[in-house]
Every structure is written in C-alpha cells, then in structure tokens.
Amino acid sequence: MCREVTALISLKQDKTLSLRDKLSLRIHLSMCRACRTCARQFDLLHQVGNHHPASQHNFRKTLDD
C-alpha cells in the first residue's frame, strides 16, 4: 500500500487528485508515519524546485520558443 501512496503523493504535486485518491491518501497518511515523512519531503522538494532560478529560466525559455 505504501508504494501506491507514494505514487499518489508524487502525482499530487502536479495535478489534482480524484476525491477517492484524496481520501485514500488522507486515511493512509493518518496511519503511516513513513508516508507522512515522504509527503513532507515531496512537498519540500516541490517548493525548492519551484523557487530555484534554473527552473524559472527553463520555464521562461519554453514560453519564448
């Protein structure tokens, strides 16, 4: 189950989850400390990636092409 939850955590970074997936994720995270830690790490990596100058440069370059 943790493997599926990790995939949902990753997917959540880029798109909106279905209600069913959101509920499954919330229930599992309430019971699994390892997956809560994983979710926090994914959130942190996502935040850092969004604020990194190189990611902003690549985004602008793509828009200009």
Side-chain angles (χ1 to χ4, degrees):
M1 182 68 179
C2 291
R3 184 172 282 181
E4 292 86 7
V5 168
T6 303
L8 286 176
I9 293 168
S10 178
L11 187 63
K12 183 182 107 177
Q13 300 299 322
D14 298 317
K15 68 178 240 178
T16 303
L17 298 178
S18 69
L19 181 58
R20 180 180 182 187
D21 287 341
K22 285 179 187 179
L23 290 174
S24 295
L25 183 60
R26 182 173 285 187
I27 290 167
H28 185 85
L29 290 177
S30 72
M31 298 182 291
C32 183
R33 183 178 183 185
C35 286
R36 284 193 305 272
T37 299
C38 178
R40 284 192 300 271
Q41 290 171 344
F42 269 74
D43 288 342
L44 180 61
L45 288 171
H46 189 73
Q47 290 173 5
V48 169
N50 284 339
H51 291 92
H52 191 275
S55 67
Q56 298 300 320
H57 173 74
N58 290 338
F59 178 73
R60 284 191 202 107
K61 184 177 179 184
T62 302
L63 287 177
D64 292 339
D65 289 343

Tab-separated table of all heavy atoms in Angstrom:
chain	number	residue	atom	x	y	z
A	1	MET	N	0.815	-1.190	0.000
A	1	MET	CA	0.000	0.000	0.000
A	1	MET	C	0.866	1.264	0.000
A	1	MET	O	0.505	2.243	-0.635
A	1	MET	CB	-0.934	-0.045	1.226
A	1	MET	CG	-1.860	1.120	1.321
A	1	MET	SD	-3.058	1.063	-0.012
A	1	MET	CE	-4.009	2.482	0.324
A	2	CYS	N	1.979	1.243	0.688
A	2	CYS	CA	2.846	2.428	0.742
A	2	CYS	C	3.353	2.809	-0.648
A	2	CYS	O	3.482	3.996	-0.952
A	2	CYS	CB	4.014	2.204	1.687
A	2	CYS	SG	3.521	2.108	3.431
A	3	ARG	N	3.604	1.841	-1.475
A	3	ARG	CA	4.081	2.124	-2.834
A	3	ARG	C	3.031	2.918	-3.619
A	3	ARG	O	3.349	3.882	-4.311
A	3	ARG	CB	4.424	0.829	-3.546
A	3	ARG	CG	5.015	1.066	-4.925
A	3	ARG	CD	5.520	-0.194	-5.512
A	3	ARG	NE	6.802	-0.461	-4.858
A	3	ARG	CZ	7.575	-1.483	-5.115
A	3	ARG	NH1	7.212	-2.380	-5.997
A	3	ARG	NH2	8.713	-1.645	-4.496
A	4	GLU	N	1.765	2.527	-3.502
A	4	GLU	CA	0.687	3.240	-4.184
A	4	GLU	C	0.514	4.645	-3.619
A	4	GLU	O	0.275	5.598	-4.355
A	4	GLU	CB	-0.641	2.471	-4.074
A	4	GLU	CG	-0.670	1.175	-4.838
A	4	GLU	CD	-0.107	-0.005	-4.049
A	4	GLU	OE1	0.191	0.125	-2.847
A	4	GLU	OE2	0.053	-1.078	-4.659
A	5	VAL	N	0.647	4.767	-2.320
A	5	VAL	CA	0.514	6.072	-1.679
A	5	VAL	C	1.652	6.990	-2.103
A	5	VAL	O	1.431	8.178	-2.378
A	5	VAL	CB	0.442	5.921	-0.136
A	5	VAL	CG1	0.586	7.255	0.558
A	5	VAL	CG2	-0.869	5.254	0.248
A	6	THR	N	2.845	6.465	-2.202
A	6	THR	CA	3.972	7.271	-2.668
A	6	THR	C	3.716	7.791	-4.082
A	6	THR	O	4.006	8.950	-4.385
A	6	THR	CB	5.278	6.447	-2.627
A	6	THR	OG1	5.477	5.970	-1.303
A	6	THR	CG2	6.467	7.280	-3.050
A	7	ALA	N	3.134	6.955	-4.921
A	7	ALA	CA	2.786	7.394	-6.280
A	7	ALA	C	1.743	8.506	-6.234
A	7	ALA	O	1.835	9.488	-6.985
A	7	ALA	CB	2.272	6.215	-7.099
A	8	LEU	N	0.762	8.400	-5.341
A	8	LEU	CA	-0.254	9.453	-5.201
A	8	LEU	C	0.364	10.749	-4.685
A	8	LEU	O	0.001	11.834	-5.134
A	8	LEU	CB	-1.367	9.004	-4.255
A	8	LEU	CG	-2.351	7.977	-4.775
A	8	LEU	CD1	-3.335	7.568	-3.676
A	8	LEU	CD2	-3.092	8.509	-5.988
A	9	ILE	N	1.287	10.634	-3.750
A	9	ILE	CA	1.963	11.815	-3.214
A	9	ILE	C	2.703	12.536	-4.332
A	9	ILE	O	2.632	13.759	-4.453
A	9	ILE	CB	2.933	11.421	-2.070
A	9	ILE	CG1	2.160	10.915	-0.857
A	9	ILE	CG2	3.815	12.603	-1.687
A	9	ILE	CD1	3.028	10.247	0.200
A	10	SER	N	3.375	11.788	-5.162
A	10	SER	CA	4.096	12.375	-6.280
A	10	SER	C	3.130	13.000	-7.290
A	10	SER	O	3.331	14.128	-7.756
A	10	SER	CB	4.948	11.307	-6.960
A	10	SER	OG	5.617	11.844	-8.067
A	11	LEU	N	2.084	12.287	-7.619
A	11	LEU	CA	1.090	12.771	-8.580
A	11	LEU	C	0.428	14.054	-8.089
A	11	LEU	O	0.155	14.963	-8.863
A	11	LEU	CB	0.048	11.673	-8.808
A	11	LEU	CG	-0.987	11.893	-9.880
A	11	LEU	CD1	-0.301	12.007	-11.245
A	11	LEU	CD2	-1.986	10.742	-9.884
A	12	LYS	N	0.203	14.120	-6.792
A	12	LYS	CA	-0.451	15.282	-6.179
A	12	LYS	C	0.350	16.570	-6.415
A	12	LYS	O	-0.216	17.666	-6.438
A	12	LYS	CB	-0.619	15.026	-4.681
A	12	LYS	CG	-1.344	16.105	-3.937
A	12	LYS	CD	-1.399	15.776	-2.467
A	12	LYS	CE	-0.448	16.700	-1.787
A	12	LYS	NZ	-0.366	16.634	-0.381
A	13	GLN	N	1.637	16.453	-6.610
A	13	GLN	CA	2.473	17.634	-6.826
A	13	GLN	C	2.155	18.313	-8.156
A	13	GLN	O	2.368	19.508	-8.302
A	13	GLN	CB	3.958	17.253	-6.783
A	13	GLN	CG	4.421	16.638	-5.499
A	13	GLN	CD	4.251	17.557	-4.302
A	13	GLN	OE1	4.454	18.756	-4.385
A	13	GLN	NE2	3.858	16.979	-3.190
A	14	ASP	N	1.642	17.561	-9.119
A	14	ASP	CA	1.450	18.087	-10.463
A	14	ASP	C	0.008	18.187	-10.929
A	14	ASP	O	-0.264	18.851	-11.921
A	14	ASP	CB	2.228	17.226	-11.466
A	14	ASP	CG	3.717	17.249	-11.187
A	14	ASP	OD1	4.242	18.343	-10.899
A	14	ASP	OD2	4.340	16.185	-11.231
A	15	LYS	N	-0.895	17.502	-10.264
A	15	LYS	CA	-2.292	17.575	-10.691
A	15	LYS	C	-3.222	17.344	-9.513
A	15	LYS	O	-2.801	16.873	-8.460
A	15	LYS	CB	-2.586	16.604	-11.829
A	15	LYS	CG	-2.536	15.141	-11.483
A	15	LYS	CD	-2.880	14.291	-12.682
A	15	LYS	CE	-4.099	13.449	-12.359
A	15	LYS	NZ	-4.553	12.628	-13.444
A	16	THR	N	-4.483	17.653	-9.698
A	16	THR	CA	-5.490	17.464	-8.659
A	16	THR	C	-5.913	16.000	-8.635
A	16	THR	O	-6.221	15.413	-9.672
A	16	THR	CB	-6.718	18.351	-8.945
A	16	THR	OG1	-6.288	19.707	-9.035
A	16	THR	CG2	-7.743	18.209	-7.854
A	17	LEU	N	-5.913	15.443	-7.441
A	17	LEU	CA	-6.314	14.053	-7.277
A	17	LEU	C	-7.831	13.933	-7.256
A	17	LEU	O	-8.537	14.878	-6.877
A	17	LEU	CB	-5.760	13.493	-5.966
A	17	LEU	CG	-4.249	13.445	-5.801
A	17	LEU	CD1	-3.890	12.909	-4.420
A	17	LEU	CD2	-3.599	12.607	-6.881
A	18	SER	N	-8.324	12.768	-7.610
A	18	SER	CA	-9.759	12.493	-7.503
A	18	SER	C	-10.131	12.452	-6.024
A	18	SER	O	-9.269	12.274	-5.147
A	18	SER	CB	-10.090	11.158	-8.164
A	18	SER	OG	-9.547	10.090	-7.401
A	19	LEU	N	-11.418	12.588	-5.744
A	19	LEU	CA	-11.877	12.536	-4.365
A	19	LEU	C	-11.497	11.208	-3.716
A	19	LEU	O	-11.035	11.171	-2.568
A	19	LEU	CB	-13.392	12.746	-4.306
A	19	LEU	CG	-14.014	12.734	-2.917
A	19	LEU	CD1	-13.388	13.802	-2.026
A	19	LEU	CD2	-15.511	12.915	-3.008
A	20	ARG	N	-11.637	10.138	-4.452
A	20	ARG	CA	-11.286	8.816	-3.935
A	20	ARG	C	-9.802	8.744	-3.570
A	20	ARG	O	-9.430	8.244	-2.509
A	20	ARG	CB	-11.620	7.755	-4.976
A	20	ARG	CG	-11.297	6.366	-4.529
A	20	ARG	CD	-11.653	5.373	-5.590
A	20	ARG	NE	-11.373	4.032	-5.103
A	20	ARG	CZ	-11.444	2.957	-5.820
A	20	ARG	NH1	-11.813	3.029	-7.073
A	20	ARG	NH2	-11.163	1.789	-5.315
A	21	ASP	N	-8.935	9.247	-4.458
A	21	ASP	CA	-7.499	9.237	-4.188
A	21	ASP	C	-7.153	10.134	-2.999
A	21	ASP	O	-6.306	9.773	-2.177
A	21	ASP	CB	-6.711	9.668	-5.422
A	21	ASP	CG	-6.694	8.608	-6.509
A	21	ASP	OD1	-6.969	7.429	-6.200
A	21	ASP	OD2	-6.398	8.959	-7.668
A	22	LYS	N	-7.798	11.289	-2.913
A	22	LYS	CA	-7.547	12.187	-1.778
A	22	LYS	C	-7.899	11.506	-0.463
A	22	LYS	O	-7.144	11.599	0.515
A	22	LYS	CB	-8.375	13.468	-1.907
A	22	LYS	CG	-7.871	14.432	-2.934
A	22	LYS	CD	-8.778	15.645	-2.977
A	22	LYS	CE	-8.419	16.572	-4.103
A	22	LYS	NZ	-9.309	17.737	-4.164
A	23	LEU	N	-9.051	10.842	-0.433
A	23	LEU	CA	-9.474	10.156	0.790
A	23	LEU	C	-8.544	9.003	1.133
A	23	LEU	O	-8.160	8.835	2.296
A	23	LEU	CB	-10.909	9.657	0.649
A	23	LEU	CG	-11.974	10.735	0.630
A	23	LEU	CD1	-13.335	10.127	0.329
A	23	LEU	CD2	-11.998	11.500	1.935
A	24	SER	N	-8.166	8.226	0.135
A	24	SER	CA	-7.231	7.114	0.376
A	24	SER	C	-5.911	7.629	0.930
A	24	SER	O	-5.360	7.063	1.878
A	24	SER	CB	-6.969	6.344	-0.922
A	24	SER	OG	-8.116	5.719	-1.374
A	25	LEU	N	-5.434	8.691	0.340
A	25	LEU	CA	-4.178	9.288	0.779
A	25	LEU	C	-4.294	9.782	2.218
A	25	LEU	O	-3.436	9.489	3.056
A	25	LEU	CB	-3.793	10.433	-0.162
A	25	LEU	CG	-2.491	11.144	0.082
A	25	LEU	CD1	-1.310	10.185	-0.003
A	25	LEU	CD2	-2.310	12.273	-0.922
A	26	ARG	N	-5.351	10.508	2.507
A	26	ARG	CA	-5.532	11.062	3.861
A	26	ARG	C	-5.621	9.956	4.906
A	26	ARG	O	-4.995	10.046	5.967
A	26	ARG	CB	-6.786	11.923	3.901
A	26	ARG	CG	-7.000	12.552	5.266
A	26	ARG	CD	-8.111	13.514	5.250
A	26	ARG	NE	-7.645	14.724	4.588
A	26	ARG	CZ	-8.345	15.836	4.511
A	26	ARG	NH1	-9.545	15.894	5.025
A	26	ARG	NH2	-7.854	16.894	3.920
A	27	ILE	N	-6.391	8.914	4.606
A	27	ILE	CA	-6.536	7.807	5.557
A	27	ILE	C	-5.191	7.123	5.790
A	27	ILE	O	-4.795	6.878	6.932
A	27	ILE	CB	-7.596	6.800	5.067
A	27	ILE	CG1	-8.981	7.441	5.156
A	27	ILE	CG2	-7.537	5.502	5.868
A	27	ILE	CD1	-10.061	6.667	4.426
A	28	HIS	N	-4.489	6.827	4.710
A	28	HIS	CA	-3.202	6.143	4.854
A	28	HIS	C	-2.202	7.017	5.615
A	28	HIS	O	-1.495	6.530	6.499
A	28	HIS	CB	-2.642	5.747	3.488
A	28	HIS	CG	-1.384	4.952	3.591
A	28	HIS	ND1	-1.378	3.589	3.763
A	28	HIS	CD2	-0.082	5.342	3.561
A	28	HIS	CE1	-0.127	3.165	3.850
A	28	HIS	NE2	0.681	4.211	3.712
A	29	LEU	N	-2.154	8.304	5.282
A	29	LEU	CA	-1.201	9.193	5.960
A	29	LEU	C	-1.509	9.323	7.450
A	29	LEU	O	-0.595	9.530	8.248
A	29	LEU	CB	-1.185	10.571	5.298
A	29	LEU	CG	-0.577	10.631	3.899
A	29	LEU	CD1	-0.698	12.042	3.323
A	29	LEU	CD2	0.868	10.165	3.887
A	30	SER	N	-2.770	9.179	7.811
A	30	SER	CA	-3.120	9.259	9.232
A	30	SER	C	-2.574	8.073	10.015
A	30	SER	O	-2.417	8.151	11.235
A	30	SER	CB	-4.636	9.362	9.409
A	30	SER	OG	-5.262	8.129	9.123
A	31	MET	N	-2.279	6.986	9.317
A	31	MET	CA	-1.821	5.769	9.987
A	31	MET	C	-0.346	5.454	9.762
A	31	MET	O	0.224	4.648	10.489
A	31	MET	CB	-2.642	4.572	9.503
A	31	MET	CG	-4.110	4.675	9.827
A	31	MET	SD	-5.039	3.231	9.293
A	31	MET	CE	-4.980	3.397	7.520
A	32	CYS	N	0.268	6.051	8.755
A	32	CYS	CA	1.617	5.633	8.362
A	32	CYS	C	2.619	6.789	8.505
A	32	CYS	O	2.619	7.729	7.703
A	32	CYS	CB	1.588	5.120	6.919
A	32	CYS	SG	3.188	4.500	6.364
A	33	ARG	N	3.442	6.674	9.489
A	33	ARG	CA	4.443	7.714	9.752
A	33	ARG	C	5.448	7.846	8.607
A	33	ARG	O	5.841	8.951	8.230
A	33	ARG	CB	5.166	7.388	11.052
A	33	ARG	CG	6.155	8.421	11.459
A	33	ARG	CD	6.783	8.059	12.775
A	33	ARG	NE	7.687	9.115	13.195
A	33	ARG	CZ	8.445	9.024	14.248
A	33	ARG	NH1	8.420	7.940	14.995
A	33	ARG	NH2	9.240	10.009	14.566
A	34	ALA	N	5.861	6.726	8.027
A	34	ALA	CA	6.851	6.757	6.944
A	34	ALA	C	6.304	7.520	5.737
A	34	ALA	O	7.019	8.321	5.122
A	34	ALA	CB	7.245	5.343	6.541
A	35	CYS	N	5.048	7.308	5.412
A	35	CYS	CA	4.455	8.004	4.266
A	35	CYS	C	4.219	9.483	4.572
A	35	CYS	O	4.309	10.322	3.674
A	35	CYS	CB	3.171	7.312	3.817
A	35	CYS	SG	3.492	5.754	2.950
A	36	ARG	N	3.919	9.816	5.830
A	36	ARG	CA	3.815	11.237	6.206
A	36	ARG	C	5.154	11.926	6.009
A	36	ARG	O	5.221	13.042	5.488
A	36	ARG	CB	3.344	11.382	7.656
A	36	ARG	CG	1.875	11.130	7.858
A	36	ARG	CD	1.395	11.597	9.221
A	36	ARG	NE	2.135	11.042	10.343
A	36	ARG	CZ	1.849	9.907	10.948
A	36	ARG	NH1	0.842	9.155	10.540
A	36	ARG	NH2	2.570	9.496	11.986
A	37	THR	N	6.222	11.256	6.393
A	37	THR	CA	7.565	11.809	6.196
A	37	THR	C	7.840	11.977	4.706
A	37	THR	O	8.347	13.014	4.268
A	37	THR	CB	8.623	10.893	6.839
A	37	THR	OG1	8.357	10.811	8.240
A	37	THR	CG2	10.025	11.416	6.611
A	38	CYS	N	7.488	10.977	3.934
A	38	CYS	CA	7.672	11.036	2.484
A	38	CYS	C	6.893	12.213	1.897
A	38	CYS	O	7.414	12.950	1.061
A	38	CYS	CB	7.221	9.723	1.859
A	38	CYS	SG	7.339	9.688	0.069
A	39	ALA	N	5.659	12.407	2.331
A	39	ALA	CA	4.826	13.507	1.822
A	39	ALA	C	5.458	14.856	2.140
A	39	ALA	O	5.489	15.754	1.289
A	39	ALA	CB	3.424	13.420	2.412
A	40	ARG	N	5.983	15.005	3.347
A	40	ARG	CA	6.657	16.265	3.711
A	40	ARG	C	7.894	16.490	2.845
A	40	ARG	O	8.164	17.612	2.414
A	40	ARG	CB	7.030	16.262	5.195
A	40	ARG	CG	5.849	16.499	6.111
A	40	ARG	CD	6.281	16.786	7.546
A	40	ARG	NE	7.051	15.709	8.147
A	40	ARG	CZ	6.548	14.682	8.803
A	40	ARG	NH1	5.255	14.560	8.948
A	40	ARG	NH2	7.325	13.766	9.330
A	41	GLN	N	8.636	15.432	2.578
A	41	GLN	CA	9.829	15.552	1.743
A	41	GLN	C	9.469	15.919	0.302
A	41	GLN	O	10.119	16.766	-0.302
A	41	GLN	CB	10.632	14.255	1.778
A	41	GLN	CG	11.280	14.017	3.122
A	41	GLN	CD	11.908	12.637	3.237
A	41	GLN	OE1	11.622	11.739	2.448
A	41	GLN	NE2	12.746	12.458	4.245
A	42	PHE	N	8.421	15.320	-0.240
A	42	PHE	CA	7.963	15.667	-1.582
A	42	PHE	C	7.535	17.131	-1.640
A	42	PHE	O	7.856	17.839	-2.602
A	42	PHE	CB	6.791	14.778	-2.008
A	42	PHE	CG	7.189	13.522	-2.728
A	42	PHE	CD1	7.752	12.464	-2.050
A	42	PHE	CD2	6.981	13.387	-4.091
A	42	PHE	CE1	8.104	11.296	-2.704
A	42	PHE	CE2	7.325	12.222	-4.760
A	42	PHE	CZ	7.895	11.182	-4.068
A	43	ASP	N	6.788	17.572	-0.620
A	43	ASP	CA	6.350	18.975	-0.578
A	43	ASP	C	7.546	19.918	-0.553
A	43	ASP	O	7.570	20.919	-1.269
A	43	ASP	CB	5.465	19.236	0.644
A	43	ASP	CG	4.078	18.614	0.511
A	43	ASP	OD1	3.670	18.289	-0.626
A	43	ASP	OD2	3.421	18.454	1.556
A	44	LEU	N	8.529	19.587	0.260
A	44	LEU	CA	9.724	20.426	0.352
A	44	LEU	C	10.473	20.470	-0.977
A	44	LEU	O	10.846	21.545	-1.453
A	44	LEU	CB	10.646	19.913	1.460
A	44	LEU	CG	11.941	20.694	1.676
A	44	LEU	CD1	11.638	22.133	2.065
A	44	LEU	CD2	12.782	20.014	2.738
A	45	LEU	N	10.668	19.322	-1.591
A	45	LEU	CA	11.355	19.277	-2.888
A	45	LEU	C	10.589	20.063	-3.948
A	45	LEU	O	11.187	20.773	-4.768
A	45	LEU	CB	11.536	17.829	-3.352
A	45	LEU	CG	12.583	17.024	-2.593
A	45	LEU	CD1	12.498	15.556	-2.998
A	45	LEU	CD2	13.960	17.575	-2.850
A	46	HIS	N	9.286	19.970	-3.929
A	46	HIS	CA	8.461	20.697	-4.889
A	46	HIS	C	8.607	22.210	-4.689
A	46	HIS	O	8.757	22.966	-5.647
A	46	HIS	CB	7.009	20.258	-4.750
A	46	HIS	CG	6.125	20.768	-5.823
A	46	HIS	ND1	6.167	20.281	-7.116
A	46	HIS	CD2	5.178	21.726	-5.820
A	46	HIS	CE1	5.281	20.919	-7.844
A	46	HIS	NE2	4.667	21.794	-7.084
A	47	GLN	N	8.587	22.641	-3.428
A	47	GLN	CA	8.745	24.065	-3.124
A	47	GLN	C	10.113	24.570	-3.547
A	47	GLN	O	10.231	25.633	-4.158
A	47	GLN	CB	8.545	24.319	-1.629
A	47	GLN	CG	7.120	24.147	-1.175
A	47	GLN	CD	6.997	24.229	0.327
A	47	GLN	OE1	7.966	24.515	1.043
A	47	GLN	NE2	5.812	23.965	0.837
A	48	VAL	N	11.147	23.829	-3.234
A	48	VAL	CA	12.504	24.226	-3.599
A	48	VAL	C	12.648	24.275	-5.117
A	48	VAL	O	13.208	25.222	-5.675
A	48	VAL	CB	13.541	23.258	-2.977
A	48	VAL	CG1	14.924	23.488	-3.558
A	48	VAL	CG2	13.560	23.406	-1.465
A	49	GLY	N	12.114	23.278	-5.791
A	49	GLY	CA	12.188	23.244	-7.245
A	49	GLY	C	11.479	24.419	-7.893
A	49	GLY	O	11.949	24.962	-8.896
A	50	ASN	N	10.359	24.824	-7.335
A	50	ASN	CA	9.609	25.954	-7.885
A	50	ASN	C	10.319	27.280	-7.684
A	50	ASN	O	10.070	28.229	-8.423
A	50	ASN	CB	8.214	26.032	-7.268
A	50	ASN	CG	7.287	24.995	-7.842
A	50	ASN	OD1	7.518	24.476	-8.927
A	50	ASN	ND2	6.246	24.674	-7.112
A	51	HIS	N	11.187	27.364	-6.689
A	51	HIS	CA	11.868	28.620	-6.393
A	51	HIS	C	13.310	28.654	-6.868
A	51	HIS	O	14.006	29.643	-6.682
A	51	HIS	CB	11.809	28.895	-4.888
A	51	HIS	CG	10.428	29.210	-4.436
A	51	HIS	ND1	9.574	28.241	-3.981
A	51	HIS	CD2	9.741	30.370	-4.398
A	51	HIS	CE1	8.428	28.801	-3.667
A	51	HIS	NE2	8.492	30.081	-3.914
A	52	HIS	N	13.751	27.583	-7.485
A	52	HIS	CA	15.135	27.530	-7.966
A	52	HIS	C	15.256	28.361	-9.239
A	52	HIS	O	14.438	28.241	-10.147
A	52	HIS	CB	15.524	26.070	-8.247
A	52	HIS	CG	16.983	25.906	-8.488
A	52	HIS	ND1	17.549	26.105	-9.725
A	52	HIS	CD2	17.992	25.588	-7.655
A	52	HIS	CE1	18.849	25.910	-9.639
A	52	HIS	NE2	19.144	25.592	-8.397
A	53	PRO	N	16.259	29.233	-9.323
A	53	PRO	CA	16.412	30.096	-10.504
A	53	PRO	C	16.490	29.334	-11.821
A	53	PRO	O	15.954	29.784	-12.832
A	53	PRO	CB	17.723	30.837	-10.236
A	53	PRO	CG	17.920	30.770	-8.767
A	53	PRO	CD	17.276	29.476	-8.320
A	54	ALA	N	17.108	28.184	-11.836
A	54	ALA	CA	17.227	27.424	-13.085
A	54	ALA	C	15.857	26.962	-13.579
A	54	ALA	O	15.597	26.949	-14.772
A	54	ALA	CB	18.147	26.223	-12.893
A	55	SER	N	14.968	26.590	-12.664
A	55	SER	CA	13.649	26.137	-13.103
A	55	SER	C	12.859	27.305	-13.675
A	55	SER	O	12.102	27.143	-14.625
A	55	SER	CB	12.879	25.488	-11.945
A	55	SER	OG	12.545	26.436	-10.956
A	56	GLN	N	13.033	28.495	-13.145
A	56	GLN	CA	12.352	29.673	-13.676
A	56	GLN	C	12.893	30.018	-15.055
A	56	GLN	O	12.150	30.362	-15.961
A	56	GLN	CB	12.516	30.862	-12.724
A	56	GLN	CG	11.910	30.637	-11.360
A	56	GLN	CD	10.417	30.380	-11.419
A	56	GLN	OE1	9.699	31.015	-12.185
A	56	GLN	NE2	9.959	29.421	-10.646
A	57	HIS	N	14.204	29.890	-15.228
A	57	HIS	CA	14.820	30.186	-16.518
A	57	HIS	C	14.311	29.222	-17.588
A	57	HIS	O	13.938	29.630	-18.683
A	57	HIS	CB	16.348	30.101	-16.406
A	57	HIS	CG	17.042	30.240	-17.729
A	57	HIS	ND1	17.141	31.445	-18.371
A	57	HIS	CD2	17.628	29.318	-18.521
A	57	HIS	CE1	17.783	31.260	-19.525
A	57	HIS	NE2	18.104	29.980	-19.632
A	58	ASN	N	14.277	27.934	-17.269
A	58	ASN	CA	13.812	26.946	-18.241
A	58	ASN	C	12.350	27.161	-18.589
A	58	ASN	O	11.945	26.978	-19.723
A	58	ASN	CB	14.028	25.529	-17.696
A	58	ASN	CG	15.495	25.166	-17.631
A	58	ASN	OD1	16.307	25.747	-18.331
A	58	ASN	ND2	15.832	24.227	-16.782
A	59	PHE	N	11.558	27.559	-17.614
A	59	PHE	CA	10.148	27.814	-17.872
A	59	PHE	C	9.993	28.993	-18.821
A	59	PHE	O	9.237	28.943	-19.779
A	59	PHE	CB	9.429	28.078	-16.538
A	59	PHE	CG	7.976	28.392	-16.715
A	59	PHE	CD1	7.084	27.386	-17.052
A	59	PHE	CD2	7.497	29.674	-16.519
A	59	PHE	CE1	5.739	27.662	-17.214
A	59	PHE	CE2	6.161	29.960	-16.675
A	59	PHE	CZ	5.267	28.956	-17.020
A	60	ARG	N	10.717	30.076	-18.586
A	60	ARG	CA	10.622	31.249	-19.445
A	60	ARG	C	11.117	30.923	-20.862
A	60	ARG	O	10.540	31.337	-21.839
A	60	ARG	CB	11.439	32.395	-18.871
A	60	ARG	CG	10.782	33.052	-17.708
A	60	ARG	CD	11.497	34.351	-17.337
A	60	ARG	NE	11.190	34.655	-15.972
A	60	ARG	CZ	12.032	34.544	-14.964
A	60	ARG	NH1	13.264	34.172	-15.171
A	60	ARG	NH2	11.658	34.839	-13.750
A	61	LYS	N	12.194	30.149	-20.940
A	61	LYS	CA	12.737	29.784	-22.236
A	61	LYS	C	11.717	28.988	-23.041
A	61	LYS	O	11.534	29.216	-24.240
A	61	LYS	CB	14.023	28.974	-22.066
A	61	LYS	CG	14.694	28.644	-23.365
A	61	LYS	CD	15.995	27.895	-23.140
A	61	LYS	CE	16.611	27.566	-24.482
A	61	LYS	NZ	17.797	26.772	-24.356
A	62	THR	N	11.024	28.073	-22.386
A	62	THR	CA	9.996	27.285	-23.065
A	62	THR	C	8.878	28.176	-23.570
A	62	THR	O	8.387	28.002	-24.682
A	62	THR	CB	9.424	26.217	-22.092
A	62	THR	OG1	10.489	25.402	-21.644
A	62	THR	CG2	8.383	25.360	-22.774
A	63	LEU	N	8.484	29.159	-22.793
A	63	LEU	CA	7.416	30.060	-23.196
A	63	LEU	C	7.836	30.934	-24.386
A	63	LEU	O	7.023	31.259	-25.234
A	63	LEU	CB	6.998	30.974	-22.033
A	63	LEU	CG	6.204	30.311	-20.926
A	63	LEU	CD1	5.919	31.317	-19.818
A	63	LEU	CD2	4.898	29.735	-21.439
A	64	ASP	N	9.112	31.296	-24.449
A	64	ASP	CA	9.603	32.160	-25.516
A	64	ASP	C	9.763	31.414	-26.833
A	64	ASP	O	9.789	32.020	-27.886
A	64	ASP	CB	10.931	32.799	-25.121
A	64	ASP	CG	10.773	33.805	-23.995
A	64	ASP	OD1	9.648	34.300	-23.785
A	64	ASP	OD2	11.785	34.086	-23.352
A	65	ASP	N	9.908	30.105	-26.803
A	65	ASP	CA	10.123	29.316	-28.022
A	65	ASP	C	8.888	29.196	-28.865
A	65	ASP	O	7.806	29.360	-28.593
A	65	ASP	CB	10.632	27.915	-27.673
A	65	ASP	CG	12.062	27.963	-27.159
A	65	ASP	OD1	12.731	28.976	-27.371
A	65	ASP	OD2	12.469	26.975	-26.513
